[in-house]
């Protein structure tokens, strides 16, 4: 990703965090309606911007964004042609024995119809890219219809029937574009990796970018043109794509050496469509969050809460935030120890970035989205299957649960615990024990054969993620890291007490950790917002703390968790977007890439 785009992404994420912080401040200072309205408008704009400008963002799941990750397939796609170097690209593909997909511009097809015919004659897939490379995210129905239909007509006039795929110029899209494509029986096609060959960095650099972090189902975006007239005598250097043509042999060689085969988009096997329950879970989570905020504001003196927050000690809150970062580091180590047996090439840095990146995404996605998010991010870094890493996340939660129970039991020897805490501990022990027994049983099962069906292979990958459960030394190291993490979490809760002018009490801090940890088990709202505060307030009120002070503490305690995660997420994005979040590793071997 070019530096300019990295900077814009970082600026956008920073603006999002700043606006949400301003909304929280408005609500805390006695203007809850204005704060909620600002937060709602900010989130709505963020979702709309992501839908328009992020090619892979598709809440409905109707577009083609990637192939199946468990298949050793990769698709080469070329945009903006035909151009002066399309013939060289076709020749390079022929020599490599590869078929690709060409997203053709109508105006370029009108200028060089013979190249469109030649691409189809050689067995490549010819699809639509609009007519004049117009940005379509703000276009109205008439403009959309003209762009789609004129582009299709130009391809047909060249003697080729276009394939039912459409790639939006720049990846910019809208609900209106989706509707227009749906009416014409076209599928919106995105990509998994932009190679940025238009920067003309040289054939070697293009090949390196195209071959980094190999994994199944990749759709590579390259260019064979720039929308120019193919027959012009002296095209400007920046409009030439000869470097792309020169890079094709090396790209093909590396992917094939890693065990992959090249396919056109119509032959790329798509992953099964996610069930519609995901949208329902998001809406339900937001509804619960809204209800909790409304109830909280109705039964609390907002001005009293604001006064308590205004009088908070910023130095102690900063210390609590730093303790939370230390806790994140311990959590990442706890998980990394369990990941290493199934992903030997994984680094601790990749585990930390994936963990924090997952938590950062969980701040805006409800229903425990952080867990699959961190597994997916780590899969991009290590090349291991997402299902396998998702199983390590489950094992990580088990390790954390047993360390939590062990620490709570030790604490109970020195200080009395209220009845609700003891009941919660016994319930957690029962669930964790049953889950551990199931994990041990699954880990002993034999893996499915390579030719087995998709469901059997998925189960095999999930069982593979439980490998660490059979190694007592690995489990012991993970438990040790988990205990350090819980100690850091207790320190966070303890520092927040005097920060809000409450007596520093280890017992109260432990109870805050217990209450808020239990709230995470039933979290449906983004970032556990609302549920976290409710759990902390109920526990503090049971100890006789004034409701307004309890709510101020809950908000401060939650803030020192959320703010560092958000800032680290922005920092990782500024270092290079998704690749920085994932710590992408180049050249994973085939057994890790699939």
């Amino acid at each position: 990703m070019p530096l300019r785009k990295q900077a814009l992404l970082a600026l956008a994420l920073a603006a999002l965090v700043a606006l949400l912080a301003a909304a929280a401040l408005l609500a805390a200072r006695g203007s809850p309606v204005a704060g909620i309205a600002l937060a709602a408008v900010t989130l709505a704009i963020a979702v709309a911007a992501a839908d328009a400008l992020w090619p892979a963002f598709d809440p409905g799941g109707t577009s083609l964004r990637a192939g199946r990750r468990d298949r050793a397939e990769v698709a080469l796609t070329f945009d903006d042609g035909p151009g002066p170097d399309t013939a060289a690209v076709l020749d390079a593909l022929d020599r490599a024995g590869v078929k690709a997909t060409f997203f053709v511009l109508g105006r370029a097809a009108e200028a060089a119809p013979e190249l469109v015919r030649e691409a189809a004659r050689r067995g490549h897939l010819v699809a639509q890219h609009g007519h004049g490379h117009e940005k379509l995210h703000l276009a109205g129905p008439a403009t959309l219809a003209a762009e789609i239909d004129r582009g299709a007509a130009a391809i047909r006039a060249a003697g080729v029937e276009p394939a039912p795929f459409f790639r939006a110029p720049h990846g910019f899209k809208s609900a209106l574009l989706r509707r227009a494509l749906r009416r014409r029986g076209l599928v919106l096609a995105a990509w998994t990796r932009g190679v940025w060959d238009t920067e003309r960095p040289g054939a070697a650099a293009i090949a390196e970018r195209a071959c980094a972090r190999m994994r199944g189902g990749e759709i590579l975006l390259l260019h064979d043109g720039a929308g120019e007239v193919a027959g012009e005598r002296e095209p400007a250097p920046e409009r030439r794509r000869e470097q792309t043509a020169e890079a094709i042999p090396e790209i093909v060689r590396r992917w094939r050496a890693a065990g992959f085969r090249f396919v056109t988009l119509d032959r790329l096997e798509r992953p099964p469509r996610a069930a519609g329950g995901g949208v329902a879970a998001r809406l339900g989570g937001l509804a619960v969050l809204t209800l909790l905020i409304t109830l909280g504001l109705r039964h609390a003196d907002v001005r009293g809460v604001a006064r308590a927050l205004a009088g908070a000690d910023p130095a102690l809150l900063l210390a609590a935030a730093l303790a939370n970062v230390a806790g994140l580091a311990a959590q990442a180590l706890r998980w990394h120890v369990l990941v290493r047996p199934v992903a030997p090439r994984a680094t601790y840095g990749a585990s930390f970035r994936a963990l924090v990146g997952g938590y950062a995404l969980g701040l805006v996605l409800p229903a425990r989205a952080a867990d699959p998010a961190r597994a997916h991010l780590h899969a991009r870094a290590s090349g291991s299957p997402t299902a396998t890493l998702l199983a390590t996340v489950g094992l990580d939660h088990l390790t954390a649960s047993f360390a939590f129970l062990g620490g709570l039991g030790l604490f109970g020897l020195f200080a009395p615990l209220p009845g609700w805490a003891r009941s919660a501990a016994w319930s957690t022990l029962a669930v964790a024990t049953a889950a551990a027994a199931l994990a041990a049983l699954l880990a002993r099962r034999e893996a499915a054969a390579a030719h087995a069906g998709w469901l059997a292979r998925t189960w095999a990958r999930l069982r593979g993620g439980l490998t660490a459960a059979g190694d007592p030394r690995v489990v012991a190291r993970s438990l040790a890291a988990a205990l350090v993490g819980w100690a850091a979490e207790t320190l966070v809760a303890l520092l927040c007490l005097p920060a809000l002018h409450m007596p520093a009490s280890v017992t109260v801090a432990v109870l805050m950790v217990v209450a808020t940890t239990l709230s995470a088990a039933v979290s449906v709202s983004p970032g556990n917002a609302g549920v976290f505060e409710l759990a902390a307030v109920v526990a503090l009120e049971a100890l006789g703390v004034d409701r307004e002070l309890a709510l101020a503490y809950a908000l401060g305690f939650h803030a020192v968790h959320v703010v560092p995660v958000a800032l680290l997420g922005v920092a990782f994005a500024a270092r290079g977007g998704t690749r920085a979040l994932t710590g992408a590793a180049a050249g994973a071997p085939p057994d890790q890439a699939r």
Side-chain angles (χ1 to χ4, degrees), residues 153-552:
I155 295 173
R156 291 190 178 103
V160 176
E161 180 62 28
F165 295 100
F166 182 92
R167 176 170 285 167
H170 305 283
F172 295 173
K173 57 196 186 302
S174 67
L176 287 176
L177 175 61
R178 290 193 186 94
R179 185 172 66 177
L181 295 176
R182 187 167 57 249
R183 288 177 175 176
R184 292 163 173 80
L186 299 174
V187 175
L188 185 64
W191 58 88
T192 59
R193 188 185 318 174
V195 179
W196 301 98
D197 55 326
T198 53
E199 294 181 327
R200 296 178 52 79
I206 292 171
E208 188 65 33
R209 294 175 183 180
C211 298
R213 70 176 195 278
M214 296 179 179
R215 56 182 185 150
E218 288 285 90
I219 301 175
L220 307 184
L221 168 62
L222 298 108
H223 298 79
D224 66 310
E228 68 276 31
V229 177
E232 63 184 0
R233 293 182 179 178
E234 294 183 3
E238 65 271 13
R239 301 164 91 181
R240 296 298 304 269
R241 302 291 176 254
E242 81 284 355
Q243 293 181 0
T244 302
E246 294 167 5
I248 288 173
E250 181 63 11
I251 293 172
V252 173
R253 185 193 67 78
R254 291 195 193 183
W255 280 91
R256 280 182 172 161
F260 291 86
R261 64 188 185 92
F262 289 87
V263 296
T264 50
L265 287 189
D266 59 334
R267 296 182 178 276
L268 182 70
E269 190 162 350
R270 299 176 65 174
R273 230 183 122 174
V279 176
R282 292 181 179 89
L283 294 177
L286 293 176
V288 169
L289 174 60
T290 303
L291 176 63
L292 289 172
I293 291 175
T294 303
L295 290 175
L297 292 176
R298 286 183 61 186
H299 294 87
D301 179 5
V302 176
R303 294 186 182 278
V305 175
R307 285 194 296 271
L309 288 173
D313 187 332
L316 286 174
L317 289 178
L318 177 60
L322 293 175
N324 180 59
V325 174
L328 289 172
Q331 290 180 52
L333 179 60
R334 180 188 75 202
W335 182 37
H336 180 65
V337 168
L338 302 172
V339 167
R340 281 300 300 274
V342 298
R345 290 167 59 92
T347 64
Y348 171 74
S351 297
F352 180 77
R353 286 188 290 270
L355 181 98
V356 175
Y359 285 168
L361 291 171
L363 297 180
V364 293
L365 299 175
R368 297 202 63 86
D371 288 340
R374 64 160 150 153
H376 172 70
L377 291 174
H378 207 307
R380 295 175 67 91
S382 64
S384 297
T386 300
T388 298
L389 290 166
L390 190 57
T392 67
V393 172
L395 195 58
D396 177 57
H397 282 305
L398 277 179
T399 304
S401 296
F402 281 113
F404 170 75
L405 292 168
L408 191 60
L410 289 173
F411 181 78
L413 296 176
F414 303 97
L417 293 172
W420 65 266
R422 291 195 298 272
S423 299
W426 283 112
S427 299
T428 303
L429 178 61
V431 173
T433 302
L438 179 61
L441 178 64
L442 290 175
R444 292 192 182 97
R445 295 281 299 275
E446 292 183 2
H451 61 272
W454 173 83
L455 185 59
R457 289 195 303 272
T458 300
W459 273 112
R461 288 181 172 86
L462 286 169
R463 287 196 297 272
L466 303 176
T467 300
D471 190 333
R473 292 173 300 178
V474 171
V475 172
R477 289 196 293 269
S478 184
L479 282 169
L483 287 172
V484 174
W486 287 120
E489 181 68 10
T490 304
L491 179 60
V492 174
L494 184 62
L495 288 169
C496 286
L497 289 170
L500 273 301
H501 306 291
M502 297 170 63
S505 166
V506 176
T507 299
V508 175
V510 169
L511 292 178
M512 287 302 95
V513 173
V514 173
T516 54
T517 298
L518 292 174
S519 75
V522 294
S523 173
V524 291
S525 58
N528 199 20
V531 182
F532 184 102
E533 283 77 9
L534 179 63
V537 169
V538 170
L540 285 172
E541 283 192 321
L543 297 173
V545 178
D546 177 76
R547 175 171 296 177
E548 284 67 34
L549 185 56
L551 182 53

